[in-house]
Amino acid sequence: MSCILKNKHKTDQTTMGMLSFNVSMFLLILSLLSFLRLNSEAAPEYRYHYCSNQTTFTRNSTYQSNLNRLLSSLSSNSTRESGFYNTTVGQTPETRVYGLFFCRGDLTPNDCRDCVSTATKVIVQEQYCPVEKVAVIWYGECVLRYSNQSFFSIMDEAPLISMYNIQNITNSSRFTQLLGTSMNDIVTKASNAPSGAIKFATTEAKFSELQKLYSLVQCDSLISSSDCNRCLGTVIGNLPACCAGKQGANVLNPSCFVRYEIYPFYNVQAVPSPSPTPVPLAPPPSKGKSSNSLLISPSLLQLLSLYCYFVLGTTF
């Protein structure tokens, strides 16, 4: 009898231990899921920056104070529905600063805010443009720039920055033809946008049974339709020299930019589609902004599998 009671006591301890283990594992998995959820939003995708060392300011000067105020104002206004804002700070020509940002046309106000907030902090760091009066920084999601001279409504032709995917495309002649048709279409749409509207356009084109070509163009909202057309013509005209036969490319200018890839690098669902029943496409890992859906990594799937097998006695 005592032996039976002893065995029963052991069984109770084992059961209690198993329950405790189950609860611990459950809490661990919940913590991992929460961590992944909180970190599902990717950081803004830095592309390039430029600043001229021909005009610099003295640290702790009035100009620097005005620049700080300007950057703060840009950041504070980064949740506007227009995804665009420009402002001027300073009373005298010597201390006046002009600045603006424009966010990619498919972004939500919160995504725009994240990009602009990052840009305003990064641009004045030591490795970027700590004492330069003229600067521009490009992210995949936004462009931010400022100067001691007014550049509002003026199309800039320089600098021109080109970058490309190192992977080559198959059937490059057909791809180039498809790219040209796609670019012509969206340049027209962006440059002919109504006054006050975002000069932004995208398109998808079928390249093969397994691949699509995604293209995007955008202009500074302040420049005219004709200047937008001319700016985009300049950056697209640079594609053959820099990026012929490449799977993707991005050409940047302070007043406009163009990009194409064989994966959806922008929010496809946020862009009106000509198809009555568009099919949402999930972006690839680590490219641009992630969606709000929860992505479970292979390591976490393995952990869940082990938990189900050893603790629950089942598989999935």
Side-chain angles (χ1 to χ4, degrees), residues 87-113:
T87 189
T88 306
V89 175
Q91 300 299 318
T92 66
E94 294 78 17
T95 61
R96 195 169 295 148
V97 192
Y98 305 82
L100 64 75
F101 70 80
F102 58 98
C103 288
R104 209 175 62 206
D106 62 301
L107 262 59
T108 65
N110 285 340
D111 289 339
C112 181
R113 176 203 61 204

Side-chain angles (χ1 to χ4, degrees), residues 252-286:
L252 311 167
N253 172 285
S255 299
C256 68
F257 60 86
V258 59
R259 185 175 180 182
Y260 73 85
E261 305 285 355
I262 58 171
Y263 60 83
F265 59 93
Y266 55 86
N267 187 353
V268 176
Q269 291 129 324
V271 179
S273 171
S275 170
T277 55
V279 180
L281 295 173
S286 304

Side-chain angles (χ1 to χ4, degrees), residues 27 31 34 41 50 81 102 108 128 136 152 196 225 248 295-296:
L27 292 175
S31 298
S34 299
E41 290 295 324
Y50 168 83
E81 287 294 333
F102 58 98
T108 65
Y128 290 88
V136 56
F152 301 153
S225 293
L295 300 177
I296 301 179

Side-chain angles (χ1 to χ4, degrees), residues 58-83:
T58 304
R59 295 181 188 273
N60 301 319
S61 62
T62 302
Y63 188 91
Q64 183 173 30
S65 176
N66 288 341
L67 174 59
N68 291 338
R69 288 169 54 202
L70 178 128
L71 294 174
S72 177
S73 178
L74 293 178
S75 183
S76 299
N77 286 277
S78 58
T79 56
R80 291 173 174 248
E81 287 294 333
S82 64

Side-chain angles (χ1 to χ4, degrees), residues 175-249:
F175 185 81
T176 300
Q177 184 179 9
L178 183 64
L179 178 62
T181 302
S182 297
M183 288 297 174
N184 286 337
D185 179 40
I186 55 178
V187 166
T188 300
K189 290 179 181 178
S191 58
N192 290 339
S195 177
I198 302 174
K199 293 180 173 64
F200 165 83
T202 65
T203 189
E204 301 172 32
K206 184 178 179 180
F207 175 57
S208 69
E209 291 300 322
L210 300 176
Q211 288 182 328
K212 281 187 175 181
L213 169 64
Y214 298 85
S215 306
L216 178 152
V217 299
Q218 185 164 352
C219 292
D220 173 351
S221 297
L222 287 182
I223 65 174
S224 67
S225 293
S226 60
D227 280 345
C228 177
N229 188 287
R230 187 160 58 93
C231 184
L232 291 173
T234 299
V235 296
I236 292 172
N238 194 61
L239 287 174
C242 77
C243 320
K246 299 301 181 181
Q247 290 185 3

Side-chain angles (χ1 to χ4, degrees), residues 133-147:
K133 289 185 177 182
V134 180
V136 56
I137 187 167
W138 294 269
Y139 284 85
E141 298 79 10
C142 70
V143 179
L144 181 142
R145 57 185 302 207
Y146 54 83
S147 174

